[in-house]
Amino acid sequence: MIEKSRRSIRLKKFDYSQPGGYFVTIVTHQRRCLFGEVVDGVVQLSEAGRIVNEMWRGLSERFDNVSADLFVVMPNHIHGIVTVGAQLIAPDGGREGAMNRAPTLGQIIRAVKAASTHRVRQLTDLEIVWQRNYYEHVIRDEESLNRIRQYILDNPIRWALDPENPQATSPERADIWRVQ
């Protein structure tokens, strides 16, 4: 089977390891609802959903200069804000004066996907958990950050309108969080 080449959504010549905030959406393979269900506007996580939740919360433990801001694990996707810090001086044992670059956003997402897939495979018969790639948006100002945070908070309540919901009859635009 020949795979179509995908158009990159990344900003050309943008350093995704530079300090800043990034809004990320990662979707399950074939948009399957693996991570739970929404009941009365509240996400009830499955075991796989709890694993993904734990992996996302653990970002700052895995990467010293990365933190997970607000996020939500939905039945078939995750929305989150990742904050990447500045370059750090190498820890003890490294070359003196060497610089450790912050991980790129791609490295961070790859780590979340790999670790959660490994754990989910241990507990289920699922082989493929995530769809290829992810959506990202560079957060450029506080107004945008606040809109995105509100979108994340409201996502479970708006599940019936969510464009990622395979049963949504009238899905909203995927980017309603954008500043118009």
Side-chain angles (χ1 to χ4, degrees), residues 11 13 68 78 88 90 93 100 110 114 121 139 141 145 158 174:
L11 295 175
K13 298 182 182 181
I78 181 172
L88 302 173
N100 284 341
R110 195 168 24 260
R121 283 180 179 168
I139 301 171
D141 56 41
L145 174 63
R158 302 182 70 80

Side-chain angles (χ1 to χ4, degrees), residues 36 48 58 72 75 83 87 92 105 127 131 140 145 158 162-163 171 179:
V72 64
T83 304
Q87 292 181 347
D92 292 342
L105 185 61
E127 282 297 312
Q131 86 174 12
R140 294 179 176 90
L145 174 63
R158 302 182 70 80
D162 194 315
V179 176

